[in-house]
């Protein structure tokens, strides 16, 4: 028996400036703020102990904010002491998460907003089915170097038609 597909709850991103990241993700992408930036320290409180369980001893302190997308997916932002950008700004050969994707029918307009807010467009906007279906995508990055993708249509619609054929 196959397992039932699970729903996606949230993703966590490490950023160098949590206030600037909250501003970007709420004002440019329209995410909702659930919890404003909050400081957490390494101690014996339940949240402090949980962080030690995950990060190991010596993490010291962090700041965290909780946002949500229009479809109720959580978006956790972390600012750690000593935060630094990766040496390779897109470590795609390193296993683990290297991007996430959002959906907006106005790909071009959203890219303009991202660039105007200090982000980057990493590639031209591409069509999956040129001249046949209006499915478009583009990779961008936020002002902090976090890479993500924008789709014009849902994941299911884009790939159910054999996007690479």
């Amino acid at each position: 028996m196959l397992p039932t597909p699970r729903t996606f709850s949230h993703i966590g991103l490490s950023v160098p400036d949590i206030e600037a990241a909250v501003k970007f993700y709420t004002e440019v992408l329209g995410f909702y703020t659930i919890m404003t930036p909050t400081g957490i320290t390494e101690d014996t409180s339940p949240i402090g102990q949980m962080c030690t369980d995950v990060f190991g001893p010596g993490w010291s302190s962090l700041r965290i904010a909780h946002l949500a997308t229009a479809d109720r997916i959580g978006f956790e932002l972390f600012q750690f002491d000593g935060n630094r950008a990766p040496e390779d700004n897109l470590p795609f050969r390193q296993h683990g998460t290297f991007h996430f994707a959002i959906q907006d029918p106005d790909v071009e307009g959203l890219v303009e907003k991202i660039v105007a807010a200090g982000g980057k467009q990493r590639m031209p906007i591409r069509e999956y089915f040129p001249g046949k279906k209006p499915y478009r995508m583009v990779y961008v990055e936020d002002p902090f170097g976090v890479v993500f993708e924008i789709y014009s249509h849902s994941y299911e619609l884009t790939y159910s038609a054999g996007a690479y054929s």
Side-chain angles (χ1 to χ4, degrees):
M1 184 160 102
L2 292 174
T4 301
R6 305 305 193 267
T7 57
F8 195 85
S9 173
H10 71 278
I11 188 168
L13 300 179
S14 178
V15 297
D17 181 337
I18 200 161
E19 279 82 11
V22 168
K23 181 178 170 136
F24 175 82
Y25 284 102
T26 58
E27 292 181 8
V28 176
L29 299 187
F31 293 177
Y32 302 107
T33 300
I34 296 170
M35 186 180 89
T36 60
T38 302
I40 308 291
T41 57
E42 185 174 12
D43 58 21
T44 58
S45 68
I47 187 67
Q49 187 58 56
M50 183 185 348
C51 289
T52 300
D53 292 343
V54 174
F55 307 127
W59 59 273
S60 180
S61 66
L62 61 85
R63 300 189 66 220
I64 187 171
H66 294 272
L67 310 177
T69 66
D71 56 347
R72 302 184 317 257
I73 301 299
F75 210 80
E76 248 179 333
L77 298 172
F78 291 85
Q79 179 182 325
F80 294 97
D81 285 345
N83 180 299
R84 66 185 188 290
E87 291 182 26
D88 177 0
N89 73 341
L90 185 59
F92 63 92
R93 293 191 194 282
Q94 179 178 317
H95 63 268
T97 306
F98 74 89
H99 80 277
F100 61 90
I102 62 167
Q103 182 180 317
D104 189 310
D106 183 11
V107 174
E108 295 79 4
L110 184 54
V111 169
E112 288 176 16
K113 289 179 184 177
I114 290 166
V115 171
K120 296 178 186 168
Q121 181 175 349
R122 293 184 64 99
M123 62 178 285
I125 296 170
R126 303 267 187 216
E127 292 183 27
Y128 277 105
F129 306 98
K132 295 180 184 172
K133 295 181 181 179
Y135 303 167
R136 298 172 327 284
M137 61 77 63
V138 64
Y139 273 84
V140 296
E141 63 184 70
D142 70 13
F144 322 104
V146 175
V147 175
F148 61 101
E149 196 172 6
I150 304 168
Y151 278 27
S152 61
H153 291 75
S154 73
Y155 189 80
E156 297 92 338
L157 279 177
T158 300
Y159 292 107
S160 66
Y164 302 130
S165 305

